[in-house]
């Protein structure tokens, strides 16, 4: 069961971006966003902006990873760097990520971003402040805690679904009778209710109701040999890059420490690193 979830009520959001700021401060992604040319405007999602606000008419819609119950990104990741936790969060382990970016292709919402300008790039996306909450640093994601309007709230998915239905039932003339994320792609932990169609704010218009992993699985079973080969090749490239970075860092450290220390970095040492 998913116990970490977010419900965003589009009718309450004023577009103040306090949630965006809180995310950036908590995750130390920097206050200024300079996405690369092909990534669009600075206000789009990027490797330094894990949540943003899409605007449609006079409505504002939070955009961030939907934390699919059966995530396509995790199914596509050949090494399990993206994975679902017991709490229903789609988390990420950069230490084993190959940088292959299959996850970016597999995400039906196009939520993942890549650190194109980094020498040691990672895939970046919202992780619902998972580590900070489970580590006791936060009681809820920084974004939901920061929202002055209560437009985006944190809770258990079942409770938030009930809350969404209650609000729609109490004011049927205000809300569209739909909870976005309840069923799409097998369900997501990030839910929305709204008085405008979210397709106008960039929500994909043709999402399958089936979970994306089942679709990905069909593709992978069609070309298993190719997939495994590419995965192994990427693993090899990743290993070589990591190793070169490690050796360069050791050499730089040895140089900084002086001639005596530099002599300790020998070819024999490198072979064992
Ligand atoms: S929205 Fe995309 S990145 Fe987020 S869990 Fe779903 S497939 Fe993965
Ligand atoms: S903090 Fe709340 S009101 Fe402000 S933009 Fe974010 S969701 Fe909307």
């Amino acid at each position: 069961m998913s116990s970490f979830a977010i419900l965003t009520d589009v009718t309450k959001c004023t577009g103040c971006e306090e949630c965006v700021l809180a995310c950036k401060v908590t995750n130390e992604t920097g206050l200024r966003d300079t996405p690369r040319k092909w990534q669009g405007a600075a206000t789009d999602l990027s490797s330094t902006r894990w949540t943003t606000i899409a605007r449609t008419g006079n409505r504002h819609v939070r955009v961030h990873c939907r934390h699919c119950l059966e995530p396509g990104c995790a199914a596509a990741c050949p090494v399990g760097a993206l994975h679902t936790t017991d709490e229903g969060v789609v988390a990420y382990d950069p230490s084993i990520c190959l940088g292959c970016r299959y996850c970016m292709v597999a995400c039906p919402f196009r939520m993942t971003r890549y650190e194109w300008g980094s020498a040691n790039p990672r895939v970046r996306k919202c992780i619902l402040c998972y580590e900070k909450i489970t580590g006791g640093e936060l009681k809820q994601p920084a974004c939901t805690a920061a929202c002055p309007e209560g437009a985006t709230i944190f809770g258990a998915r079942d409770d938030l679904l009930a809350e969404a239905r209650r609000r729609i039932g109490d004011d049927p003339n205000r809300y569209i009778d739909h909870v976005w994320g309840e069923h799409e792609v097998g369900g997501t932990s990030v839910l929305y209710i709204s008085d405008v169609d979210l397709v106008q704010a960039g929500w994909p218009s043709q999402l399958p109701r089936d979970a994306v992993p089942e679709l990905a699985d069909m593709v992978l079973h069609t070309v298993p040999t190719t997939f495994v080969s590419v995965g192994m090749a990427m693993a090899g490239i990743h290993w070589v890059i990591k190793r070169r970075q490690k050796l360069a860092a050791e050499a730089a450290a040895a140089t900084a420490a002086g001639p005596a220390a530099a002599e300790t970095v020998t070819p024999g040492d490198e072979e064992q690193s």
Side-chain angles (χ1 to χ4, degrees):
M1 191 196 79
S2 167
S3 57
F4 278 24
I6 284 180
L7 169 65
T8 291
D9 185 336
V10 172
T11 69
K12 289 175 176 282
C13 177
T14 61
C16 68
E17 299 205 0
E18 288 294 327
C19 51
V20 177
L21 180 62
C23 175
K24 293 174 87 45
V25 170
T26 297
N27 292 298
E28 300 178 345
T29 58
L31 297 183
R32 195 153 164 264
D33 297 302
T34 50
R36 299 171 81 88
K37 268 185 190 161
W38 60 85
Q39 288 178 285
T43 52
D44 289 350
L45 283 185
S46 69
S47 60
T48 57
R49 193 177 179 94
W50 301 355
T51 182
T52 195
I53 305 293
R55 292 164 207 278
T56 173
N58 63 352
R59 285 285 174 260
H60 310 90
V61 184
R62 278 199 69 197
V63 177
H64 58 111
C65 171
R66 307 288 148 80
H67 294 273
C68 306
L69 301 186
E70 297 176 68
C73 59
C77 179
V79 292
L82 282 152
H83 56 276
T84 305
T85 69
D86 290 344
E87 297 83 359
V89 174
V90 179
Y92 174 65
D93 181 352
S95 71
I96 57 174
C97 173
L98 302 177
C100 65
R101 304 189 298 279
Y102 288 166
C103 54
M104 297 176 72
V105 178
C107 173
F109 298 100
R110 300 285 178 263
M111 290 294 119
T112 50
R113 294 297 182 272
Y114 194 60
E115 293 177 318
W116 295 98
S118 169
N120 197 14
R122 294 164 291 177
V123 171
R124 310 267 72 187
K125 75 172 192 70
C126 155
I127 56 166
L128 283 184
C129 293
Y130 176 72
E131 283 151 20
K132 288 186 166 59
I133 295 173
T134 53
E137 194 179 324
L138 295 178
K139 289 198 170 4
Q140 61 175 306
C143 56
T144 55
C147 179
E149 309 295 333
T152 186
I153 59 175
F154 177 69
R157 187 172 188 267
D158 288 347
D159 293 344
L160 294 182
L161 272 174
E163 174 65 13
R165 290 198 197 99
R166 185 192 66 74
R167 291 187 194 184
I168 293 171
D170 284 353
D171 203 345
N173 293 326
R174 178 176 193 167
Y175 293 100
I176 295 174
D177 186 13
H178 184 71
V179 181
W180 279 267
E182 181 173 12
H183 298 300
E184 290 90 346
V185 298
T188 64
S189 293
V190 174
L191 308 165
Y192 294 84
I193 52 174
S194 175
D195 58 350
V196 295
D197 187 349
L198 295 191
V199 171
Q200 294 169 25
W203 184 282
S205 59
Q206 307 240 316
L207 284 174
R209 197 171 162 114
D210 287 340
V212 170
E214 289 173 20
L215 305 175
D217 211 35
M218 279 167 50
V219 175
L220 297 183
H221 276 92
T222 310
V223 286
T225 310
T226 305
F227 183 77
V228 170
S229 301
V230 171
M232 289 177 69
M234 294 303 298
I237 292 168
H238 177 72
W239 184 85
V240 169
I241 291 171
K242 285 275 186 194
R243 181 175 162 75
R244 282 183 181 165
Q245 287 171 340
K246 184 169 185 279
L247 293 178
E250 286 175 355
T255 303
E263 285 168 11
T264 62
V265 179
T266 65
D269 291 330
E270 291 174 5
E271 287 310 311
Q272 290 164 30
S273 62

